[in-house]
Every structure is written in C-alpha cells, then in structure tokens.
C-alpha cells in the first residue's frame, strides 16, 4: 500500500459517548500504529473555556462564531498532549488541565450545539489532519464517522454501558460519587445527542463495545479493525495493479 508521508494520511475515525474510552484508547492505538491523534472534544472544550474566559455568551451562535474566527488553537498530533489557545489581544493560555474540569464538561454542550460553530471546527480539524504530514491520524469525537470523515477507511463506534462509563469517569474525579458522575454524563450525552447521533453505528461503521474489555483489550480491538482495513486496502491496490496473489 502507498503510504508515503506526502500522501493524504490514512484516517481512523472513532466516535462514541462520554467515558466509552475514545480519547485514551485512541491515543494508545495511535501510538502503537505510529499515527497522530486528534481529540476533537478537546477543541470543543477549549473553545468553551475561551468563551467563558472572554465573557462570550455561550448560547449566542453569532458571538461564539465571532470568537472562533479570532481563536487560535494549538495541539500536537504526536507526543505532547498539551492544548494551547489564543485570542490576540485577549487571552493566551495552556488549557490542558483546565478543559478537563467538571465545570467545562457541564458547559461545553452550549458551544457544540451551534451548527455554524461545528462547521468552523470541522474545517479546522480537516486542515490540521491534511497538514499533518503523518502516514495516518486517529481522529475521535462524536460526528467523525458521519460528518467530519465519512469516507475514512476505518470507522469505529466505541460504546460501553452507562454504568461502566460512569465508573471509569468517577475513577478520574475523586470526590464525586458514582451517582453524581452518572447523572452528569447522562445529562451531557442527552444534550449532545440532540445535535449528533453517536449511539447508533452508521452503515459501514464497526461497533466496539468496551464494557467487558480492559484497556489493553480495547486498544487491541481498535488495532485489529485498522489492520483488517489496511489489508483490504493493500489487496485492492494490488488487484488494481494486476498483481497475482
Ligand atoms: N476498556 C477500558 N477499560 C478500563 N478503563 C478504561 C477503558 N477505556 C478507557 N478507560 C478509562 O476510562 C476513563 C475514561 O476514558 P476516556 O478515554 O477519557 O473516555 P472518552 O474519551 O470516551 O470520554 C479513562 O480513565 C480511561 O483510562
Ligand atoms: N466531535 C465532537 C467532539 C466533542 N463534541 C463536544 O465536546 C464535548 C466534549 O467532548 P469529549 O470527547 O472531550 O468528551 P468526553 O467523552 O471525553 O467526556 C462533548 O460533550 C460534545 O459536546 C462534539 O460536539 N463533537
């Protein structure tokens, strides 16, 4: 298979609800594949953080779109997972830790519900991937398999039961009870699901249910789907070249 860094990167699109394992499993899978990783939820979180910081009304689509036009977002697709944001003349910050705070989780759906904001961020995501110079990129979020990269050769819906997802999240948020975390993620998923469907696999999308998988098992499941798609791509490339098997 042609895989030179000058080609468009192979995309591995992963969607799913909060706590299904998207970010952490995608990051580990990308590492093993020597691919980049783009966590699109981090960008939505960082935009919500910037809106709060600059006194922008998160419910006003025009205000958030105006902010987005001036907004600079920096994150590396390999290695360092830091997230930096800048609005010239207003704010410049490393928001890596701040965007994971429960307050941002509670507010982020207020910016992600605006179609114009989604279009702007989606254009940014496509640009980041196209300019990456990497052989492949894992891109994860809520609408990657359906809107951002519907033609990706690998598309995965990562799910897990609400109980399991809340248990995982509660493990990361000491001080918050399982019930509290469960109620929070169910409320956020319900709001997000009004805008994009990340509970049902679109045609051609492979579902990986991580409820009964440990972390390494989940990474292995993603790698197996990617390897299967790579083999299919290689087979169709050799068939197109007229190679004999
Ligand atoms: N299959 C798994 N088994 C056990 N723990 C997991 C698994 N997948 C993810 N985790 C843990 O659950 C937490 C939430 O995962 P995360 O990747 O942030 O989910 P998401 O991005 O879908 O919200 C993290 O602490 C992560 O290490
Ligand atoms: N492709 C995406 C990714 C995230 N989001 C929004 O960004 C928020 C944070 O996403 P995330 O992936 O960091 O959330 P977790 O699943 O990690 O909790 C979601 O609750 C959505 O509101 C989105 O709308 N579309």
């Amino acid at each position: 298979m042609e895989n030179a860094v000058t080609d468009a990167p192979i995309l591995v699109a992963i969607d799913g609800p909060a706590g299904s394992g998207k970010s952490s499993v995608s990051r580990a899978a990308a590492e093993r594949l020597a691919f980049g990783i783009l966590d699109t939820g981090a960008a939505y979180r960082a935009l919500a953080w910037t809106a709060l910081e600059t006194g922008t009304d998160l419910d006003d689509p025009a205000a958030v779109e105006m902010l987005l036009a001036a907004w600079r977002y920096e994150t590396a697709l390999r290695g360092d997972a830091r997230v930096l944001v800048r609005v010239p003349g207003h704010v410049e910050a490393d928001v890596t830790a701040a965007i994971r705070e429960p307050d941002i989780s509670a507010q982020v759906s207020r910016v992600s519900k605006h179609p114009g904001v989604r279009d702007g961020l989606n254009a940014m995501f496509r640009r980041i991937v196209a300019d990456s110079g990497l052989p492949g990129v894992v891109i994860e979020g809520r609408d990657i398999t359906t809107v951002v990269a519907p033609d990706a050769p690998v598309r995965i819906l990562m799910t897990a039961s609400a109980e399991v997802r809340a248990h995982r999240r509660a493990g990361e948020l000491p001080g918050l009870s399982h019930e509290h975390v469960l109620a929070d993620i169910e409320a956020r998923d319900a709001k997000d699901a009004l805008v994009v469907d990340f509970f049902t696999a679109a045609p051609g999308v492979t579902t990986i249910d991580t409820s009964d998988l440990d972390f390494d098992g989940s990474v292995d499941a993603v790698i197996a789907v990617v390897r299967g798609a790579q083999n299919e791509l290689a087979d169709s490339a050799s068939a197109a070249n007229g190679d004999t098997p």
Side-chain angles (χ1 to χ4, degrees):
M1 177 176 42
E2 258 316 293
N3 199 11
V5 288
T6 48
D7 291 341
I10 296 169
L11 286 188
V12 178
I14 304 187
D15 288 325
S20 55
K22 297 179 308 296
S23 313
S24 54
V25 171
S26 297
R27 190 164 289 279
E31 190 66 34
R32 265 174 59 185
L33 292 161
F35 282 9
I37 168 74
L38 181 61
D39 172 352
T40 61
Y44 282 95
R45 287 170 177 274
L47 184 62
W49 181 92
T50 313
L52 290 167
E53 188 69 15
T54 54
T56 306
D57 179 357
L58 282 72
D59 295 311
D60 178 346
V64 184
E65 280 178 52
M66 199 189 292
L67 175 68
L68 180 57
W71 193 62
R72 296 291 165 264
Y73 179 75
E74 278 178 40
T75 192
L77 300 190
R78 298 273 297 149
D80 187 350
R82 276 186 318 140
V83 174
L84 309 177
V85 294
R86 189 157 54 88
V87 179
H90 287 278
V91 62
E92 180 162 359
D94 179 334
V95 295
T96 315
I99 60 173
R100 303 294 161 194
E101 291 294 327
D103 183 47
I104 295 297
S105 301
Q107 307 283 346
V108 60
S109 307
R110 293 173 61 201
V111 303
S112 65
K113 70 184 175 187
H114 304 305
V117 171
R118 303 192 68 83
D119 288 347
L121 284 177
N122 289 346
M124 182 182 90
F125 299 145
R126 294 192 187 102
R127 213 165 40 239
I128 291 174
V129 170
D131 294 347
S132 71
L134 292 166
V137 175
V138 182
I139 168 164
E140 57 94 359
R142 299 288 188 288
D143 58 350
I144 312 305
T145 60
T146 50
V147 177
V148 178
D151 299 327
V154 185
R155 292 184 301 148
I156 293 170
L157 182 71
M158 189 167 283
T159 61
S161 71
E163 281 295 325
V164 166
R165 294 188 287 112
H167 180 73
R168 289 178 186 159
R169 262 296 136 81
E172 294 177 321
L173 298 167
L176 294 184
S177 70
H178 173 79
E179 290 67 29
H180 185 138
V181 174
L182 178 60
D184 280 356
I185 65 171
E186 286 193 319
R188 178 154 60 97
D189 284 344
K191 274 185 244 161
D192 290 340
L194 296 173
V195 185
V196 280
D197 182 5
F198 47 85
F199 284 114
T200 327
V205 173
T206 305
T207 299
I208 297 179
D209 186 337
T210 67
S211 305
D212 297 320
L213 296 176
D214 64 12
F215 185 81
D216 289 341
S218 302
V219 178
D220 288 344
V222 170
I223 301 277
V225 178
V226 176
R227 295 291 184 222
Q230 284 179 318
N231 289 338
E232 270 180 37
L233 283 174
D235 287 348
S236 45
S238 33
N241 289 338
D243 300 348
T244 45

